[in-house]
Amino acid sequence: MEAENTEVFDKLVKLLTDKGIEHKITEHEPTATSEESAKVRGATLASGAKAMLLKYEASKGSFSYVLAVLSAEKKINLKTLKKILKTKNMKIADSDEALKVTKCVPGAVPPFGSLFGIPTYLDNSLIKQGEDTNFNAGLRTKSCNMKVKDYIKVENPIISDYTD
C-alpha cells in the first residue's frame, strides 16, 4: 500500500491549534470503514463524522464539489441533498476524484471542506448524536476527537437534514 500524504493531517492540526480548539489525536491501525474506526477509537458509531465528497452539476455543464458530513450510523439521502443544492445531477465522487480534490484516500477525508476550498453541508444527525465527534484526520491511521460545537464553530458548515 502506498504511503498516505500527511499534508491534510498537518493542515487540520494547525487549524485546530491556531483556533485554540481542544482536540485529541489518536494513532491506530489503518481503518477503511466507519465501523472499524469506531471500534479502534472505542467510540460509538453514531459519534463518527462521515465525510463524503459529492460531485454535482452547479449550473448547466459545470460541476462542483461539496463535502457532506453526517453521523456514521446514518445513510445519506442523495435525493434530499439534490433538492437542497437545487441540482438534478449528483453523485458520490469516486476514489480518484476524492484523492485529486482532498489529497486523501477514501476513508481518511476529515469533515472540513474548508481545507479543500469547498462548502461543507452538515447533517443534523451528527449534532443530535451527542457532544463529541470522532473522525479520521486526513490519514486512515489517525483519528481526531473534539466537541461537535467546536467543530461547528471552526468549520461553519451549512446545517440541514439529508439522512435516512
Side-chain angles (χ1 to χ4, degrees):
M1 186 186 339
E2 188 179 320
E4 293 181 66
N5 184 338
T6 62
E7 181 185 338
V8 173
F9 172 75
D10 295 338
K11 281 169 74 171
L12 174 65
V13 171
K14 182 176 178 1
L15 172 70
L16 297 177
T17 303
D18 288 353
K19 299 268 185 188
I21 299 297
E22 192 178 319
H23 63 284
K24 181 180 169 200
I25 301 291
T26 54
E27 197 159 341
H28 50 75
E29 290 298 310
T31 57
T33 67
S34 298
E35 291 79 9
E36 285 177 14
S37 296
K39 191 174 179 182
V40 299
R41 294 173 188 144
T44 65
L45 181 60
S47 73
K50 182 166 36 177
M52 300 178 73
L53 184 67
L54 304 172
K55 183 177 183 178
Y56 74 102
E57 192 167 20
S59 58
K60 190 119 177 99
S62 172
F63 287 84
S64 293
Y65 293 96
V66 296
L67 196 65
V69 178
L70 54 146
S71 167
E73 74 172 359
K74 297 290 187 179
K75 298 280 184 236
I76 193 166
N77 184 323
L78 288 178
K79 193 173 175 184
T80 303
L81 201 49
K82 281 180 188 177
K83 286 180 188 167
I84 292 167
L85 289 168
K86 298 177 176 65
T87 186
K88 287 180 170 48
N89 194 345
M90 175 188 285
K91 70 177 187 93
I92 297 169
D94 64 34
S95 56
D96 289 339
E97 290 170 316
L99 188 59
K100 184 179 159 204
V101 173
T102 69
K103 296 185 177 87
C104 296
V105 297
V109 179
F112 289 84
S114 61
L115 292 175
F116 317 115
I118 59 175
T120 300
Y121 281 75
L122 174 64
D123 184 76
N124 269 307
S125 61
L126 191 66
I127 298 168
K128 292 174 184 167
Q129 63 76 36
E131 283 186 24
D132 287 12
T133 186
N134 300 280
F135 50 88
N136 278 4
L139 298 166
R140 288 178 297 179
T141 55
K142 296 206 190 283
S143 288
C144 183
N145 169 276
M146 63 187 295
K147 299 282 182 216
V148 174
K149 67 177 175 50
D150 289 340
Y151 163 71
I152 292 169
K153 187 166 86 177
V154 173
E155 181 61 6
N156 194 26
I158 298 155
I159 299 170
S160 52
D161 292 292
Y162 57 81
T163 58
D164 295 326

